[in-house]
């Protein structure tokens, strides 16, 4: 049994694999000051830690890496593999400094290449909206980092006193008849348009009609309004972690 853990700046996604099959998954808020013992207690309420044979970790929060290592050592009594420099990934990384690439971006690209072939573009709707590109040769060639939906909206609400926070939901129409409707329309159509524009530019530079796969917490909200997103794979990062674990086993 493998526990795949993707620690993002805002949310942490966990997947429990039995071989190649995803048995269960969870999505938690990322608390940057949470300790390994707190994580151990939290996990113990969701699954049987004695069943875990290994943990594969991707973390964009460096301070939490040591805490997850403590979970593996003290609570799960299992080896842990932290995705980063020196770990075999099975994908050539054509980046000026490969150490700068977030592990979540690499594992997304690995899983997308394995599941959907190459060339492929992954759009990950997280704290930032990440576009990661795998060339026709199967190489990670870089990507685009744009402000994320939630972080953008939080900044807007903080600076505009007359605007209120809204639920992230499909708008009733493009032209909003209320402030809430206008904001929801701006979120959905604005970010869908951003995706389509950036994807068009990436395809032009690649000179290839790369498939576009979306993942992340708000992917299912935006994808239906994008003309370029082909499908949503909410377990893409977890699958990438499983593949990296298998490669390094």
């Amino acid at each position: 049994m493998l526990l795949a853990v993707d620690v993002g700046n805002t949310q942490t996604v966990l997947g429990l694999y039995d071989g190649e099959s995803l048995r269960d998954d969870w999505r938690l808020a990322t608390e940057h000051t949470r300790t390994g013992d707190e994580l151990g207690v939290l996990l113990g309420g969701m699954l049987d830690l004695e069943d875990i044979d290994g943990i594969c970790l991707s973390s964009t929060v460096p301070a939490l890496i040591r805490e997850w290592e403590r979970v593996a050592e003290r609570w799960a009594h299992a080896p842990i593999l932290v995705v980063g420099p020196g770990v075999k990934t099975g994908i050539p990384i054509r980046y000026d400094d490969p150490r700068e690439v977030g592990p979540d971006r690499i594992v997304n690209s690995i899983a997308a290449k394995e599941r959907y072939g190459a060339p492929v573009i992954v759009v990950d709707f997280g704290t930032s909206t990440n576009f990661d590109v795998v060339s026709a040769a199967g190489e990670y060639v870089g990507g685009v980092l744009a402000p994320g939906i939630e972080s953008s909206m939080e900044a807007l609400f903080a600076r505009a006193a007359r605007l209120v926070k809204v639920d992230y939901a499909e708008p009733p129409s493009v032209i909003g008849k209320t402030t809430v409707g206008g904001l929801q329309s701006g979120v959905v159509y604005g970010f869908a348009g951003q995706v389509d524009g950036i994807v068009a530019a990436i395809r032009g530079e690649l000179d290839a009609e790369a498939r576009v796969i979306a993942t992340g917490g708000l992917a299912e909200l935006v994808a239906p309004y994008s003309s370029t997103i082909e499908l949503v794979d909410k377990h893409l990062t977890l699958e990438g972690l499983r593949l990296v674990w298998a490669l390094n086993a």
Side-chain angles (χ1 to χ4, degrees):
M1 299 288 287
L2 171 69
L3 181 65
V5 182
D6 173 36
V7 179
N9 287 292
T10 305
Q11 294 185 335
T12 296
V13 181
L14 305 97
L16 185 64
Y17 279 90
D18 185 357
E20 297 182 2
S21 301
L22 182 62
R23 174 178 290 188
D24 210 343
D25 64 282
W26 304 267
R27 186 176 293 271
L28 312 172
T30 298
E31 298 289 347
H32 291 218
T33 59
R34 187 168 275 163
T35 69
D37 289 333
E38 288 174 320
L39 290 168
V41 171
L42 184 63
L43 289 176
M46 298 187 297
L47 52 90
D48 189 345
L49 290 169
E50 293 183 358
D51 288 342
I52 297 175
D53 298 307
I55 298 174
C56 192
L57 173 71
S58 163
S59 178
T60 58
V61 184
L64 288 176
I65 294 176
R66 180 67 192 101
E67 302 309 320
W68 277 99
E69 289 174 338
R70 182 176 179 85
V71 170
E73 178 183 353
R74 181 172 180 178
W75 291 85
H77 305 292
I80 184 170
L81 176 67
V82 180
V83 180
V87 171
K88 291 186 289 185
T89 62
I91 188 170
I93 301 174
R94 307 305 183 199
Y95 209 74
D96 288 349
D97 186 353
R99 294 171 297 181
E100 291 183 354
V101 187
D104 55 327
R105 302 176 67 189
I106 296 301
V107 296
N108 276 343
S109 300
I110 293 165
K113 175 186 172 183
E114 177 71 18
R115 284 188 165 185
Y116 308 107
V120 66
I121 301 168
V122 178
V123 185
D124 187 351
F125 292 92
T127 305
S128 59
T129 302
N130 299 342
F131 296 74
D132 293 300
V133 184
V134 179
S135 70
E139 301 173 331
Y140 178 83
V141 294
V144 177
L145 300 176
I149 294 175
E150 291 178 288
S151 55
S152 296
M153 297 306 290
E154 288 293 336
L156 176 62
F157 297 140
R159 297 179 67 88
R162 290 178 62 87
L163 296 182
V164 296
K165 293 186 177 181
V166 298
D167 293 331
Y168 296 115
E170 296 184 14
S173 60
V174 179
I175 302 172
K177 303 298 184 182
T178 65
T179 300
V180 169
L183 286 167
Q184 290 173 332
S185 180
V187 168
V188 168
Y189 288 98
F191 282 90
Q194 179 194 67
V195 168
D196 293 341
I198 291 175
V199 165
I202 291 173
R203 284 174 169 172
E205 196 165 294
L206 279 180
D207 193 23
E209 284 296 308
R211 301 180 73 181
V212 181
I213 312 301
T215 192
L218 292 174
E220 291 177 316
L221 174 64
V222 177
Y225 297 87
S226 165
S227 63
T228 55
I229 294 175
E230 186 170 330
L231 56 88
V232 174
D233 187 338
K234 64 179 182 179
H235 297 137
L236 195 66
T237 311
L238 298 179
E239 180 64 13
L241 287 167
R242 185 193 68 78
L243 291 169
V244 170
W245 175 269
L247 187 63
N248 287 268

